[in-house]
């Protein structure tokens, strides 16, 4: 995947020698856990977060230690550090910004975590294109950091199944040694090369998404003030918004009856940013639901 890794590296202005391509980030998560953890060793993750971390840890017979997030769904770095030390964890893995809560952990706090634990830190930056707190340009400074990136979000390439791991030369060499030699097919490689060659267009599209996100976010904030105690809106630095509602299930069904699919997650709803017209429709349906 030499040309593909170069295209990705050029897009993010990093050294292509630090990049490993994968058949989606999922394959890389599985590969990293399998390669760096022995049976019974401990990996720390947080909750709520991307469910596949625990899934792949269980397949590898690693022990998964879950740290519950704060009441406001933020990550306590102090608690994470304490847990890693107490459990003698070999790895800590989480998404930043978070899938599904839309919240982000600032770069200084992530740096503190990396420096304070004697564990491999796997930082899933799948949604970082929509925020400005990436550590992608700093991976060579650490001997215990892997950053994951994906083509599924900001560049719109979910169907081609293409992800990347970025790490220092030593870790990169290890990842390339243990992955399947032909894990990314030729079609996906060529599609990825072409995608990442359109840097200005992709960055412009990302800016439009961020602008649309702010419109949707501000619109729901107004509804939160208009209908107090009916919903709680969380800050967002992703391409979706996350809200808590006692009537989340009813709202989900109401949207679906109108031909609009959003994500139902227990007491929470996740609404992905769409076009301005789609966002206005989502706001109208949410308003209609509360008025009803």
């Amino acid at each position: 995947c030499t040309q593909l890794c170069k295209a990705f590296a050029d897009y993010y202005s990093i050294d292509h020698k630090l990049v490993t391509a994968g058949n989606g980030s999922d394959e890389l998560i599985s590969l990293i856990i399998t390669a760096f953890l022995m049976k019974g060793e401990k990996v720390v993750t947080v909750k709520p977060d991307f469910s596949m971390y625990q899934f792949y840890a269980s397949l590898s017979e690693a022990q998964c230690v879950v740290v519950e997030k704060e009441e406001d769904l933020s990550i306590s770095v102090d608690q994470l550090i304490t847990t890693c030390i107490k459990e003698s964890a070999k790895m800590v893995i989480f998404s930043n910004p978070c899938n599904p809560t839309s919240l982000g952990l600032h770069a200084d706090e992530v740096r503190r975590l990396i420096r304070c634990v004697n564990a491999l830190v796997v930082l899933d930056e799948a949604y970082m294109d929509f925020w400005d707190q990436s550590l992608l340009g700093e991976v060579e400074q650490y001997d215990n950091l892997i950053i994951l990136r994906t083509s599924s979000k900001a560049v719109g390439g979910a169907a081609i199944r293409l992800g990347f791991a970025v790490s220092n030369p030593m870790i990169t060499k290890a990842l390339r040694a243990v992955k399947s030699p032909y894990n990314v097919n030729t079609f996906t490689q060529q599609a990825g090369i072409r995608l990442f060659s359109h840097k200005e267009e992709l960055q412009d599209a990302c800016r439009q998404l961020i602008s649309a996100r702010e419109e949707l976010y501000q619109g729901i904030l107004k509804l939160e003030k208009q209908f107090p105690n009916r919903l709680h809106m969380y800050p967002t630095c992703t391409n979706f918004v996350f809200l808590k509602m006692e009537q989340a299930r009813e709202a989900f069904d109401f949207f679906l009856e109108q031909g609009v699919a959003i994500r139902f997650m227990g007491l929470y709803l996740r609404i992905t940013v769409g076009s301005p017209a789609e966002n206005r429709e989502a706001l109208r349906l949410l308003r209609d639901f509360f008025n009803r």
Side-chain angles (χ1 to χ4, degrees):
C1 300
T2 303
Q3 295 304 315
L4 173 62
C5 289
K6 284 182 178 178
F8 173 86
D10 288 345
Y11 184 85
Y12 288 107
S13 301
I14 58 175
D15 187 347
H16 72 276
K17 295 177 183 178
L18 308 177
V19 181
T20 304
N23 186 20
S25 294
D26 275 58
E27 184 202 28
L28 290 168
I29 294 166
S30 176
L31 179 71
I32 290 165
I33 290 175
T34 303
F36 291 101
L37 289 178
M38 300 289 286
K39 177 181 177 180
E41 290 185 329
K42 294 179 180 179
V43 54
V44 173
T45 189
V46 294
K47 184 180 180 181
D49 208 317
F50 188 43
S51 61
M52 299 306 288
Y53 307 142
Q54 293 187 57
F55 175 74
Y56 286 123
S58 67
L59 287 185
S60 297
E61 299 186 78
Q63 291 187 49
C64 196
V65 179
V66 179
V67 175
E68 294 283 345
K69 292 186 178 180
E70 301 291 287
E71 191 174 345
D72 62 358
L73 300 183
S74 64
I75 294 174
S76 169
V77 173
D78 289 331
Q79 185 182 6
L80 207 52
I81 292 170
T82 300
T83 301
C84 288
I85 295 172
K86 178 183 176 183
E87 299 289 344
S88 299
K90 298 296 183 182
M91 182 184 296
V92 54
I93 181 171
F94 62 97
S95 60
N96 188 44
C98 176
N99 170 21
T101 68
S102 78
L103 301 176
L105 189 62
H106 281 266
D108 284 343
E109 285 291 87
V110 180
R111 292 186 189 102
R112 185 162 69 90
L113 170 68
I114 296 167
R115 291 168 179 150
C116 289
V117 298
N118 185 26
L120 178 64
V121 178
V122 182
L123 190 61
D124 189 346
E125 290 190 348
Y127 290 91
M128 190 57 80
D129 291 278
F130 307 106
W131 205 29
D132 62 355
Q133 296 293 305
S134 177
L135 295 188
L136 203 60
E138 303 177 23
V139 288
E140 286 190 277
Q141 299 178 25
Y142 304 101
D143 62 4
N144 64 329
L145 175 64
I146 299 176
I147 293 180
L148 297 175
R149 284 297 184 106
T150 181
S151 304
S152 299
K153 315 304 178 192
V155 303
I160 63 173
R161 306 309 307 139
L162 180 60
F164 299 90
V166 184
S167 53
N168 68 36
M170 182 180 66
I171 296 176
T172 299
K173 185 178 180 180
L175 285 175
R176 290 180 177 179
V178 297
K179 77 173 183 66
S180 168
Y182 309 114
N183 61 327
V184 182
N185 67 75
T186 300
F187 178 82
T188 292
Q189 289 187 50
Q190 292 301 317
I193 290 168
R194 281 154 179 75
L195 265 176
F196 286 106
S197 68
H198 295 279
K199 187 170 184 175
E200 290 185 9
E201 291 90 338
L202 288 174
Q203 290 181 341
D204 181 60
C206 200
R207 284 190 289 268
Q208 291 183 48
L209 271 172
I210 292 171
S211 176
R213 176 192 73 193
E214 290 308 304
E215 291 179 4
L216 180 61
Y217 177 73
Q218 293 299 328
I220 297 179
L221 277 183
K222 290 179 181 178
L223 290 178
E224 184 178 5
K225 294 176 182 177
Q226 186 178 349
F227 300 96
N229 304 318
R230 298 292 298 279
L231 78 155
H232 172 67
M233 183 75 175
Y234 291 91
T236 177
C237 46
T238 60
N239 66 333
F240 59 86
V241 294
F242 194 67
L243 47 147
K244 185 175 184 179
M245 288 176 56
E246 290 291 337
Q247 294 177 293
R249 180 77 217 193
E250 292 90 335
F252 169 79
D253 291 336
F254 178 74
F255 269 66
L256 208 55
E257 289 168 5
Q258 311 302 316
V260 177
I262 57 177
R263 185 82 179 269
F264 169 66
M265 308 183 75
L267 291 175
Y268 302 94
L269 292 175
R270 196 180 87 174
I271 305 175
T272 301
V273 174
S275 67
E278 289 169 333
N279 290 341
R280 287 194 295 271
E281 179 67 2
L283 289 170
R284 183 187 69 82
L285 289 176
L286 201 54
R287 187 181 299 108
D288 287 351
F289 174 78
F290 288 133
N291 282 327
R292 189 187 67 161

